[in-house]
Amino acid sequence: MLRRNLMLAVALGATLLSGAAYAADPVSIVYIPKNTGNPYFDSIIKGFEDGCKTLGCEFTTVAPASAEATSQIPFVTAQIQRGVNVVAISPNSPDALNQVFDRARAKGTIILSVNSDMPGNETHRDAAILPVDFTKTGPSQVELLGKQIGYEGEIAILSATTDAPDQNVWIAAMKETLEKDPKYAKMKLVTIAYGDDDPQKSTTETEALLANYPNLKGIISPTTVGVAAAAQVVETAKKADKVKVVGLGTPNQMRRFIENGTVEAFQLWSPYNQGLLAANFAVGVKNGTIKNEAGTVFEVPGLGKVTVEKDSVIKTQADLTTFDKTNIADFNF
Amino acid sequence: MTSIDKNPVAPRVIVREAAAPRPRWQVWLIRPEVVTLLLLVIAAIVATRLSPFFADLGFILESSTYYIEFAIVALVLTIVIISGEIDLSPAAQMALSACLFGTAFKAGAPIPVAMGVSLLSGLVMGAFNGFFVTVLRLPSIIVTIGTLILYRGLAQVLAGDKSISGFPGWFVGIDYRMVGIVPVPVLVFIAASILLGLFLGITIYGRQIYQIGTSEIAAIHAGIRVRRIKMGLFIASGLTSSIAGLMVASRLGSVRYDLATGGELTMVLIVMLGGTYIFGGRGSILGTFLAAWLLVIIATGMTVANIAINAQLTIMGLLLIVSIIATNAIYARSQR
């Protein structure tokens, strides 16, 4: 009896000790999204939380009320004061945070830019976690539409604004794919419309497309506002069987159109995976198991092998995620 | 009184005793600035309890630099409000003057020249507001809501969606230049508070501004040059805004059209927390000075304690209402 008690005490003591040693320095990570109340960022946060559950890191998230360029600065300063190891942030400005990042890094805090990078100011952060390999966005969208219309017929693009940098890069890639790849030789791009990422204008532009091009077979809208508006117009006009809509959209916006068959499939990436990857990378770099330099390959459970590219850029996934009837129920953002 | 006494037809002489003068301690203690000071002490104690990371003077001073530009403009805004007017455009003036500075620098002007352009623009923007208010006699709240949108729009036309950066090293980082442990912007704020406090408290212009705010018609009859003084206040507001804009440009190392967005509300918040009467005639620089630190303590304390932003905004809103009620109650009491 006594011996049993002793053993229990020893075992308890051992657990306590190891527990204490473990708790002494879990890596602490804070994530600062652009602003509060955006389901897209809630998905990234969920990824961080699940990652930290398995890795044993401490995770918190704080966010400013507005996405104004300087609104995140006091939060970064407060986190340095709290002594967190890693600040992951979706910066509201490519350069307004430079000074405060420099100070954080001088005190040993690791700065990760999540979801978007800081073009031209890469030296002020430690690494950038981006959603997807954006060079594949254009070709991938063309293929998604081509498959649905039998690689034949007139198609149109509904973009954001005329000078939206991301969209213009993707559209250029779409044009190139259509011209160069013989597989798409019978698909003809008739026009590019600009909805300015405004639901009303996007709706009007789509209506004009349907009126002006009666033989139109498909619309690609590589912007979340545009693709939802286009789907709505096609649904109202009852032309879902004649005109296929594809694009980049979020599952919550597009769920209704997928469920009622207006849209067969659309694409995006998984913000959840970005959070998961960022948590793994942060802990690895802090503990010295992952080297933050170009060429490093590391494994993320559930995502496979990931490579650190030039300028410490990490792309979460190579290909876009395609959402359709079979998987849309799994996503909520 | 005397005319009634001399009237022989009066059936009865009404003798009213003057109320006993209020005790001196009441006159000194029951004033809005004391409420602000009390809130400041309470906020500091609560913030220290909320987070073990808060009570660090270096950290509080560093964090204060994020609000101090607004606080500097709020000092001038205090005087504008005491004179019975309001200026809601300073934050937009900060953005436009900073963007003019950035554009001039990008066009090849040396930094001192670009700074001169920015300060000059502050004078012009202030005079523009002043023209509408004093010459065309339009209500300042409407005029400055208009110019708030106008100046912000011009800043966007000028700078577009991109930020302007690449300023030389000596210009960048004013908030990181220290005298002891005090960042330079904080020193500027303290110096400006003392100067404006003296201006309002002991100069003849200061007394005239209180008079204008209390009763503009009486002030005009007393021979006070109301329009000239108001014009001066709007110009001072513009100039101070452009100085604050330059300080933001230096702190961030870049300028953008959306710099200081929403700052006008922070400024009004500081002035109101400091016990300045929104209808003019009453208020003090000391109150605004204390209120600026109250805002710094509350915002910094809650942020470092990881309190969610919606809770932070709720508390700020409640505090503002409490301070306005307190100010009104105190002024109503002292007017009896």
Side-chain angles (χ1 to χ4, degrees):
Chain A
M1 189 65 185
L2 181 71
R3 207 200 297 167
R4 212 219 232 143
N5 274 349
L6 259 176
M7 276 172 67
L8 201 69
V10 170
L12 256 175
T15 349
L16 273 175
L17 271 178
S18 65
Y22 184 62
D25 62 329
V27 177
S28 53
I29 304 175
V30 65
Y31 172 56
I32 309 177
K34 283 181 185 291
N35 57 348
T36 50
N38 187 329
Y40 180 85
F41 294 112
D42 292 345
S43 245
I44 296 182
I45 291 168
K46 188 81 174 59
F48 268 109
E49 283 171 351
D50 289 359
C52 272
K53 246 177 237 160
T54 26
L55 294 160
C57 40
E58 264 174 26
F59 174 72
T60 40
T61 177
V62 287
S66 77
E68 180 259 324
T70 59
S71 59
Q72 291 166 319
I73 296 177
F75 289 86
V76 177
T77 308
Q79 296 309 320
I80 307 172
Q81 177 73 4
R82 290 180 69 89
V84 299
N85 304 125
V86 181
V87 173
I89 183 166
S90 298
N92 280 335
S93 158
D95 53 16
L97 293 142
N98 288 353
Q99 315 295 327
V100 73
F101 284 173
D102 289 351
R103 259 173 248 170
R105 294 176 69 207
K107 292 186 179 166
T109 315
I110 297 172
I111 301 284
L112 298 181
S113 179
V114 175
N115 194 54
S116 57
D117 204 352
M118 303 154 56
N121 297 288
E122 287 85 354
T123 51
H124 296 277
R125 47 89 176 138
D126 288 280
I129 316 271
L130 301 184
V132 74
D133 183 354
F134 284 118
T135 58
K136 296 193 178 168
T137 308
S140 166
Q141 294 267 296
V142 172
E143 168 60 25
L144 187 68
L145 181 62
K147 209 165 53 185
Q148 292 179 27
I149 61 173
Y151 303 103
E152 200 174 341
E154 292 183 353
I155 64 167
I157 294 173
L158 174 67
S159 184
T161 55
T162 47
D163 52 2
D166 289 341
Q167 272 77 13
N168 284 349
V169 170
W170 298 332
I171 290 172
M174 287 178 202
K175 282 182 179 164
E176 199 186 316
T177 312
L178 288 168
E179 277 170 24
K180 302 251 166 85
D181 195 331
K183 188 179 177 185
Y184 309 113
K186 288 183 182 166
M187 283 166 70
K188 186 174 167 246
L189 178 63
V190 289
T191 188
I192 301 171
Y194 296 93
D196 293 352
D197 264 352
D198 169 55
Q200 188 54 48
K201 178 141 196 279
S202 301
T203 303
T204 321
E205 290 291 333
T206 313
E207 282 164 351
L209 286 180
L210 295 186
N212 295 343
Y213 302 96
N215 297 325
L216 201 65
K217 287 277 185 288
I219 298 171
I220 303 178
S221 183
T223 158
T224 54
V225 178
V227 73
Q232 182 66 58
V233 171
V234 169
E235 184 190 33
T236 315
K238 297 194 171 46
K239 287 191 172 168
D241 49 340
K242 281 190 207 142
V243 182
K244 300 293 177 193
V245 174
V246 301
L248 300 178
T250 65
N252 284 352
Q253 265 182 320
M254 299 297 289
R255 193 176 312 279
R256 196 167 67 81
F257 303 115
I258 290 285
E259 281 167 359
N260 68 19
T262 309
V263 175
E264 277 180 34
F266 63 94
Q267 297 178 316
L268 203 67
W269 42 83
S270 162
Y272 173 87
N273 287 349
Q274 286 188 74
L276 195 64
L277 171 70
N280 277 273
F281 181 72
V283 172
V285 170
K286 188 69 204 166
N287 291 340
T289 53
I290 298 174
K291 274 211 182 90
N292 179 17
E293 58 188 32
T296 304
V297 177
F298 61 99
E299 178 108 21
V300 178
L303 295 180
K305 283 198 167 30
V306 181
T307 313
V308 182
E309 292 173 25
K310 190 170 159 283
D311 287 336
S312 290
V313 170
I314 302 164
K315 288 162 185 165
T316 308
Q317 54 193 95
D319 296 308
L320 290 165
T321 307
T322 302
F323 301 94
D324 55 25
K325 264 199 174 116
T326 60
N327 68 354
I328 193 157
D330 304 338
F331 298 90
N332 182 24
F333 67 92
Chain B
M1 217 40 169
T2 42
S3 65
I4 294 174
D5 288 346
K6 282 178 187 164
N7 191 344
V9 195
R12 239 182 338 162
V13 177
I14 303 164
V15 181
R16 282 187 65 187
E17 278 180 45
R22 283 189 296 133
R24 180 144 295 207
W25 66 267
Q26 272 197 9
V27 177
W28 277 101
L29 283 185
I30 304 188
R31 13 179 339 137
E33 292 89 346
V34 178
V35 176
T36 313
L37 184 65
L38 273 180
L39 288 173
L40 181 60
V41 172
I42 295 168
I45 293 170
V46 172
T48 313
R49 287 290 173 86
L50 272 179
S51 168
F53 304 104
F54 174 76
D56 171 350
L57 194 59
F59 165 65
I60 296 171
L61 286 174
E62 185 187 345
S63 299
S64 74
T65 58
Y66 307 138
Y67 309 96
I68 220 81
E69 295 120 359
F70 294 150
I72 292 171
V73 185
L75 293 171
V76 180
L77 184 60
T78 306
I79 306 181
V80 173
I81 292 180
I82 289 173
S83 82
E85 300 292 342
I86 194 163
D87 188 353
L88 291 175
S89 67
Q93 296 187 34
M94 285 168 71
L96 180 51
S97 60
C99 283
L100 275 165
F101 164 78
T103 313
F105 171 74
K106 265 279 157 320
I111 291 280
V113 175
M115 286 169 77
V117 168
S118 168
L119 296 178
L120 188 69
S121 75
L123 291 175
V124 172
M125 287 187 281
F128 190 67
N129 281 336
F131 171 78
F132 282 105
V133 175
T134 62
V135 179
L136 300 185
R137 314 217 172 205
L138 298 169
S140 54
I141 187 159
I142 304 301
V143 169
T144 57
I145 285 176
T147 52
L148 135 75
I149 300 165
L150 171 71
Y151 295 155
R152 180 76 66 185
L154 284 175
Q156 191 172 5
V157 168
L158 199 65
D161 262 350
K162 296 197 173 62
S163 50
I164 302 169
S165 56
F167 308 128
W170 67 265
F171 178 77
V172 176
I174 191 175
D175 58 321
Y176 223 45
R177 307 280 154 73
M178 305 280 181
V179 176
I181 60 161
V182 187
V184 170
V186 176
L187 288 178
V188 173
F189 174 59
I190 293 170
S193 302
I194 294 171
L195 283 177
L196 291 174
L198 291 177
F199 169 76
L200 198 58
I202 66 172
T203 68
I204 182 110
Y205 290 111
R207 302 316 304 166
Q208 290 181 340
I209 288 166
Y210 279 105
Q211 176 59 60
I212 295 169
T214 310
S215 168
E216 189 168 333
I217 293 175
I220 292 167
H221 287 303
I224 297 172
R225 287 186 248 202
V226 172
R227 288 160 72 182
R228 184 182 291 187
I229 288 177
K230 281 189 176 174
M231 186 64 161
L233 288 179
F234 277 103
I235 291 175
S237 172
L239 184 64
T240 317
S241 301
S242 64
I243 294 171
L246 287 173
M247 288 168 69
V248 179
S250 165
R251 174 162 68 80
L252 300 177
S254 67
V255 298
R256 245 177 85 91
Y257 81 91
D258 63 354
L259 169 152
T261 303
E264 55 279 340
L265 293 183
T266 310
M267 294 169 197
V268 174
L269 177 77
I270 294 174
V271 177
M272 293 297 107
L273 280 178
T276 295
Y277 194 46
I278 189 71
F279 299 113
R282 285 158 181 263
S284 71
I285 293 293
L286 175 66
T288 304
F289 178 80
L290 292 172
W293 291 109
L294 175 62
L295 177 78
V296 167
I297 298 284
I298 293 173
T300 309
M302 289 198 288
T303 305
V304 81
N306 278 357
I307 291 176
I309 192 73
N310 38 17
Q312 292 197 19
L313 294 176
T314 311
I315 288 167
M316 290 284 187
L318 286 175
L319 207 64
L320 180 60
I321 292 171
V322 166
S323 80
I324 289 177
I325 291 174
T327 305
N328 266 309
I330 289 167
Y331 286 146
R333 185 193 148 90
S334 63
Q335 254 159 8
R336 269 205 306 253

